[in-house]
DNA sequence: AGAATTCATGCAATCGCTTTCATTGTTCCT
DNA sequence: AGGAACAATGAAAGCGATTGCATGAATTCT
C-alpha cells in the first residue's frame, strides 16, 4: 500500500489520471458527479499531490527564499513572520537562510537557492551592489532595505520620523546633539545619518558625529562612552540595540536617562519596550514591509523581466521614556 | 537558449545523459577524460541540477521543515541559526514555519510540509501529545524541548543548572524564594517548576509558588507585582523575558535589584545581557541543541521506522548582576 | 590465444503530475 | 433532421533527472 497517486485514485474511480489531475487544478472542467467521487476517494486515501512531480512540469516550486543578513538581529523576527504569513496566503512556503553577517554567504546562498525557489527576498543585504546584481541575474529578487536601480526593492524610510524625533527633542530644550553612526556598510545607517544631518542643519543646531559603531550591544556601550565626552545632551543611536548599549553604559556611569541625557533608538524592536527606561524610537511598519516584499516578488515571478518596482514605507516616531527635557544643571 | 539540462550537456559532449548524471552522482564510474569534459561544459553552461526532477526519482527533497512555536520569542534565533547551519552541512535546506503560538497552526503546518520536506523539527510545540503523534505519523520528526515516548526528542534540561542557581542564592543568604511559574501548557515550564520545587524541598527553604504567568514582558511585570506581595527575597522567573518584566516592574516601584531582591532568569537570550542589571540566568547549549536535532532527524530520515532517540542536554548556570547578597534591612 | 573480468557507457524505464489534442456523446440552431 | 458548438473525458507526450540492465571494449588470467 504505497503512497497514493493520481493513478491509484483514477483506478479506484474508474476514470483516467488526467481527470483526477483536473479535479484539483481545473475543477470546472469536470462533471460534478466525477468531481465529488474523486474528491471523496482522495480524502479517503489521504492523497497529497507530490510537489516535486508538479514542480517538474509547471516549473514552479511554490516556494520563495528569504535571506536575512543576521537572524539574531531582533529586527528580523517580525519581518520573517510577516513574510511567511503573506507567502502562505499566496500558497508559497518560505525557505529561510541566515547569512550570518557574511556578504559572501549571501551571494552563495542566492546561488544555492536557485532552482529550489521561484524567487528570493534579500533582507538588509551586506553585499556590494555589483555582487547582488550578479547573483540575482535571471532570478526574481526583491531587496529589503537596500535600494538598487535594476532590482526591485522595498525600503523603510525613517527620514521624516527622525525629523520628528529631532523636533521632539528640540521642543524639550535640547540644542546640542550627537549622532552615533551605525556600520558604514549598511545602507540604513548611511540613510539615517543623512536624515539626521539634514535635520540638524535645517534646525541650525549643533551636531557631533561619532562612530561608526558596530550595531551590537557592545558597540552601543562604546558609543555611550564616546557620547559622554561630548557636550551633547541628546543622542541619536543607529538602532535600538545600540541604544540599549548606550543606556547600559550611561547607567553604569551613573548618568541618568532621560534626566541627564536623552537617547533615541530606531526600529522599535522588542528590546525597546523591555529596557528601562523604555526607548523613544522609530517604529518600522514590519507587516507592511514583509507583505509588500512578497507581493512585489510574486509579481516579478509571474512576469519575469518586468520592470523593477521600488517601494518606500515610512517609519513612525514614537516617544517613550528615554527622552525628556534638557537637564537644567 | 533555455535552461541547461543533462541533455544539453550530453549532446555537447557527445555522451549520453546517463553519463552526465553519473558524473555528478557517481563520478568514480566515469572515465577521467569524460568526467573532466562534462564538468567543464557544465560549468561553462552554468548548469544546475533541477531539484524537482531529482526529487521526483529519489523521493528526497533535501529539505527539512522547522516549525517554531513563535519566531518572535528571543529564544529561537540562535536555534534557527544552528539548525540551519547544520542542515546546510548535511546538504539540506530549511523550510521555516512560524506557528504564531497556535497549536492548531502547528499540526496544520506539519501536514502542509509533508511531501515538501524529508522530515520536520518541531520546536517547543504547544500541541497536545496526541495531536503531535498523529501529525507526525509516517513523517520523520524530532521534537525540541518536548519529550514524547514514540517520537524522537532533544531537550534542554535545566534541572541541575537551576539547582546551581538555588545554591548560588542560598550562599548569598537567601532563605525565602518565589517561583514565578510559566505557562501551564509548556513542558519546559513544568519541568523548571519541578526542578525548583525539588531543590527547595531538599534545601529545606521556603518557596512561594506564583502564577502561572504568560511568557511575555507583560507577564513578567505581573509576576513582579505578585512577587512584591510575598516576603521572598529571591525569585526564579520562568525565562529571561519574564525576568525582564519583573526587573522593569521592580525598578518602576523603586525596588533595587540585586539590592532588595535577586532575580534569576532562564535561557540566556540576548536580552539577558542587554538589560540592566544583566540577568543571572541559565545558558542553553543552543548550538548543540540544533545540531543534535538535525542529526537525529537525518538518522530518522535514512532509517525510517527506526527507534526514536531521546537526547537531554544540560543548561549551565551563569551568574550575572541580577542576583546578590540578601538585603540586610 | 581464448575465457573471464572489469570498466565505461548507452538504452530505456521510471518517478507523479500537467496539459495538448483527439474523441466521444449531447445539446442547440435553423 | 443535419450540422455546429459544446461539455466531459481519455490517450499520450513530456518535465529532468536517476538507475538497473545490457553491451562492447579493454584488461587480466591461465
Amino acid at each position: 500500500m504505497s503512497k497514493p497517486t493520481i493513478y491509484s485514485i483514477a483506478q479506484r474511480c474508474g476514470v483516467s489520471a488526467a481527470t483526477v489531475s483536473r479535479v484539483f487544478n481545473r475543477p470546472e472542467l469536470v462533471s460534478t458527479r466525477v468531481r465529488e467521487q474523486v474528491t471523496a476517494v482522495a480524502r479517503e486515501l489521504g492523497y497529497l499531490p507530490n510537489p516535486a512531480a508538479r514542480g517538474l512540469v509547471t516549473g514552479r516550486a511554490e516556494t520563495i527564499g528569504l535571506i536575512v543578513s543576521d537572524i539574531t538581529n531582533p529586527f528580523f523576527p517580525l519581518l520573517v513572520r510577516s513574510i511567511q504569513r503573506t507567502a502562505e496566503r499566496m500558497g508559497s512556503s518560505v525557505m529561510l537562510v541566515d547569512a550570518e553577517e557574511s556578504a559572501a554567504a549571501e551571494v552563495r546562498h542566492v546561488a544555492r537557492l536557485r532552482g529550489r525557489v521561484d524567487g528570493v527576498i534579500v533582507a538588509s543585504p551586506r553585499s556590494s551592489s555589483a555582487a547582488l546584481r550578479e547573483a540575482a541575474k535571471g532570478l526574481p529578487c526583491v531587496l529589503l532595505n537596500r535600494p538598487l536601480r535594476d532590482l526591485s526593492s522595498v525600503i523603510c524610510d525613517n527620514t521624516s520620523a527622525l525629523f520628528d524625533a529631532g523636533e521632539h527633542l528640540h521642543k524639550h530644550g535640547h540644542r546640542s546633539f550627537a549622532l552615533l553612526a551605525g556600520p558604514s556598510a549598511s545602507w540604513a545607517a548611511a540613510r539615517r545619518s543623512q536624515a539626521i544631518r539634514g535635520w540638524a542643519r535645517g534646525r541650525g543646531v549643533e551636531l557631533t558625529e561619532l562612530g561608526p559603531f558596530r550595531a551590537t550591544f557592545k558597540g552601543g556601550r562604546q558609543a555611550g562612552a564616546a557620547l559622554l565626552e561630548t557636550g551633547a545632551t541628546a543622542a541619536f543611536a543607529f538602532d535600538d540595540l545600540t541604544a540599549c548599549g548606550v543606556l547600559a553604559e550611561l547607567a553604569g556611569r551613573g548618568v541618568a536617562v532621560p534626566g541627564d541625557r536623552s537617547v533615541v533608538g530606531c526600529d522599535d524592536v522588542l528590546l525597546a519596550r523591555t529596557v528601562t527606561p523604555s526607548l523613544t524610537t522609530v517604529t518600522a511598519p514590519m507587516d507592511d514591509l514583509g507583505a509588500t516584499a512578497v507581493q512585489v516578488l510574486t509579481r516579478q515571478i509571474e512576469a519575469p523581466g518586468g520592470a523593477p518596482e521600488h517601494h518606500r514605507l515610512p517609519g513612525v516616531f514614537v516617544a517613550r521614556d528615554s527622552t525628556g527635557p534638557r537637564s537644567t544643571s
Side-chain angles (χ1 to χ4, degrees), chain A residues 78-191:
Chain A
L78 279 177
L79 190 67
V80 171
R81 168 172 288 181
S82 146
I83 287 176
Q84 198 227 288
R85 196 189 277 167
T86 312
E88 193 189 342
R89 202 174 299 138
M90 322 264 268
S92 286
S93 304
V94 174
M95 220 164 235
L96 178 77
V97 180
D98 172 26
E100 305 192 19
E101 290 275 23
S102 148
E106 266 169 27
V107 306
R108 202 178 64 232
H109 281 127
V110 173
R112 221 173 60 80
L113 251 31
R114 222 184 193 102
R116 338 191 144 258
V117 301
D118 301 324
V120 298
I121 295 175
V122 190
S124 307
R126 302 284 197 253
S127 307
S128 74
S129 303
L132 283 171
R133 238 187 303 261
E134 177 61 25
K137 190 160 285 175
L139 181 68
C141 176
V142 173
L143 262 31
L144 225 79
N145 267 350
R146 168 80 161 261
L148 199 58
R149 214 175 322 102
D150 13 3
L151 258 38
S152 287
S153 64
V154 177
I155 65 174
C156 175
D157 191 353
N158 296 311
T159 305
S160 89
L162 286 172
F163 267 56
D164 295 345
E167 289 301 311
H168 164 84
L169 292 166
H170 191 267
K171 238 176 248 142
H172 277 343
H174 295 274
R175 292 297 179 269
S176 174
F177 299 82
L179 163 54
L180 313 174
S184 48
S186 155
W187 172 83
R191 178 100 184 158

Side-chain angles (χ1 to χ4, degrees), chain A residues 73-76 78 158 162 165 180 182-183 188 192 214-221 223 235-249 263-284 286 316-320 322-323:
Chain A
N73 186 318
F75 177 79
F76 288 118
L78 279 177
N158 296 311
L162 286 172
L180 313 174
R192 290 173 194 181
R214 297 201 55 202
T216 60
F217 181 72
K218 269 202 184 142
R221 297 198 73 128
F236 296 93
F238 163 59
D239 66 4
D240 290 340
L241 193 51
T242 318
C244 280
V246 172
L247 252 39
E249 184 66 23
V263 177
V264 343
C266 201
D267 291 343
D268 196 16
V269 300
L270 176 67
L271 214 53
R273 298 158 186 275
T274 59
V275 79
T276 312
S278 62
L279 275 176
T280 291
T281 185
V282 174
T283 301
M286 287 300 176
V316 176
F317 173 70
V318 27
R320 293 213 185 93
S322 66
T323 51

Side-chain angles (χ1 to χ4, degrees), chain A residues 309-321:
Chain A
E309 296 181 35
H310 299 280
H311 296 252
R312 163 178 323 235
L313 277 49
V316 176
F317 173 70
V318 27
R320 293 213 185 93
D321 303 333

